[in-house]
């Protein structure tokens, strides 16, 4: 019973992805020639922003000033 439900879920998701892919392909074919250049530039800027944000998150930060060592 579980396998049947699992298979139906995957089949539905595969159909959704196929429909979305077909719609995207049709939209790209119908778009004017200048649009892909603009969308590529936008995609590049978005990618650069995401990489910059990831780099900022990975940078080590100094410990907060209120953390102090106890005198021994």
């Amino acid at each position: 019973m579980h396998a049947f439900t699992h298979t139906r879920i995957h089949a539905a998701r595969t159909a959704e992805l196929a429909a979305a892919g077909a719609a995207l392909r049709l939209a790209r074919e119908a778009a004017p020639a200048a649009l892909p250049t603009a969308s590529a530039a936008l995609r590049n800027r978005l990618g650069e922003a995401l990489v910059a944000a990831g780099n900022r998150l990975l940078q080590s930060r100094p410990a907060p000033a209120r953390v102090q060592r106890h005198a021994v």
Side-chain angles (χ1 to χ4, degrees):
M1 189 64 137
H2 173 73
F4 179 70
T5 304
H6 191 73
T7 303
R8 283 180 53 198
I9 290 170
H10 279 289
R13 181 68 179 140
T14 301
E16 288 175 10
L17 291 174
L24 182 61
R25 187 175 60 248
L26 288 173
R28 284 185 178 166
E29 290 172 358
L35 187 60
T37 308
S39 65
L42 180 61
R43 185 174 55 242
N44 288 341
R45 288 181 61 195
L46 178 62
E48 290 171 1
L50 288 172
V51 168
N55 287 338
R56 281 194 304 271
L57 288 173
L58 291 174
Q59 289 176 353
S60 61
R61 295 187 177 149
R66 61 188 168 139
V67 176
Q68 298 175 356
R69 301 182 101 184
H70 292 289
V72 179

